[in-house]
Amino acid sequence: MRHRLPSAIASAIQTAHEQHAEGKTPDTPFQPAQTSLLADPPNWRDWLAELLAHAAPVLQYLSSTHQELRDAAQVLPWQLHELSQHEPHPGADARLVAAAERRFGEPVPGQTLDAQAKRVRDPKYWRRFLVRRVREARERLHLQLGLVGKGARQYCSEGAREHRQMQLVKQEEWLKNTMLRGFIDGQLVELPLAQVVKGAHQKLSKLYAFIAAMDRLAVDAGLTVALLTTTLEGQWHANPEFKREGHRWNGAFPREANAELGARFQSIRRDLDKQGIKLSGLWAGEPHADGCPHRHHWLMYDPQHERAVLAAFLKYFPGKLKLRRDARDGGDVIIDTREDALHGLHRKLRRKEGAQVDVSIIDRSKGSGASYILKYVLKAVLPELSYEGLAAPLGPNSQAAPGPAKKRSATEARKELRTLQSVDAHRAVWRMRSFQLFGIRNCLTLWDELRRIKKAPAEPELKKLWRLARGGEAEGHVNADEQRGDAYGFLKALGGLAAVAGPEQLELGADAPSKARIYTEPTTTRYGETGSRIKGVELVQPGACSDEGAPVVLERVETRSVTWELVAKDETTKGKVSAAAPAGDKTAKASHRPRVDGDS
């Protein structure tokens, strides 16, 4: 082979080649898709070509270090310029973009041809591209060759885990060596970026506050709360721990499998919505040991709709449903089909019988389930922390903490830390979201922006939300220890849970058609493309529109009046700004503290 491959991949290919030489089909999850390649024995050259097809455009980089990829990105614009001379398209920009797309086999992103060409000429774009593309190509080959899963690495390759750890270390170094610079009242202000970025405990504290608030709202409404896990069929798993006879992987990688899980869940909610049934809760995704993702759902619904809810899940995950029950209630049972779920039929669980859907109905006398789902969220929020010795996820004095941590030996702690790192690396490689709230109004960003406002808004409705988000009437800067936000009251003021019969709710991320919401301003990217960024909070009048057709704004509060720039620590200066201060710079009407990763 002309290009050097990572040692684990090269060794696995060599083993497959030896099996082929013996007249055997290589014993790997990867199997040729083309019928012509299924001859016995398969043609080795064709087998290898199809195995490496996705990696082919970056094959020469597969053994490169991170620094070598950065160096390669510096010369790629020039190399692509040379290649573009052979393209038949009219115009230099069109030829350059065509050469890049031909070289790497995928479209160059961009709203316009000019934006695409600017990306091709930018080494920073190619640095990000090569890191992403090479990392994914390596991981694909690990899955195809059976190097992840049964009898091999769990969740992801060791290289992916090490690369993610290197990323986190470099990120921490960058935070320590970067400052934020801005002008406030004509004075230069410089802040260490590391003091501004929200830490893992802050993220977790806010999320748990909303989880607990949702759980309280569910109790108020008498909703059923269930813990439900969905798993894809066997063909989605490349190298599972337990294989059925004749198991054959469909070739889908974790990103495609995750999209399939999301599409099926959306179909479930759509079908239920047509019946007037809505769900609220949170889902958290994580990989099996073989890399295929599955999802845990913290689910809230009206108890009278339980049969319809279970039937909806069985429609899209038809491989049986296991309903977990206490021994006094008859023990665990299996619901085989959607029709059985609709009629309330079930049977006893056979020994070691599995199911595609696993359901536990929360017994309020034993717990809420909120702490249970938080366990999976922790794996997404805490990978940058050293998990060893962590006494409680939210701190020893936090009322929101799920409980005291179980004592572990040093070996157990290292194993748990390695698992957290591997799961985090898996998500990073496949660019997968780890969790999401659903069945509530867009609230988390609105909460953050309201907490930034130092002076109470004038409009009573907006002032009420501001008071709930900040936890009191005090103006100016307030520490979290002095007053905590009221997530329960905040959600209730926004309409509560969609699962409760009532007004139509908005999903997380959707724009509210009325009342309090975020407003943005247009921006221009380095590539000349249009975008937007958060500017503040506004209150609009429901159903009222201006002559231009825009909603009538009752009050608008700017939360981002200061423009901050990132500068290296050794480039910062301090002191008054005289004529150098930008003309027209305004005094911030809200918090001067920049928001880099959201405030809680």
Side-chain angles (χ1 to χ4, degrees), residues 179-184 187-193 196 452 533 559-567 585 588 590-596:
M179 301 286 286
L180 284 165
R181 175 188 289 166
F183 294 96
I184 300 176
Q187 183 177 3
L188 178 66
V189 176
E190 293 171 339
L191 298 171
L193 183 59
V196 175
R452 290 167 58 85
R533 63 184 171 201
T559 60
R560 311 293 181 92
S561 57
V562 177
T563 300
W564 299 90
E565 64 174 338
L566 299 173
V567 294
D585 224 40
S591 170
H592 297 321
R593 180 176 177 270
R595 177 187 182 277
V596 174

Side-chain angles (χ1 to χ4, degrees), residues 274-286:
K274 291 178 180 178
Q275 303 173 52
I277 302 171
K278 296 184 181 296
L279 304 175
S280 294
L282 176 147
W283 64 256
E286 65 172 351

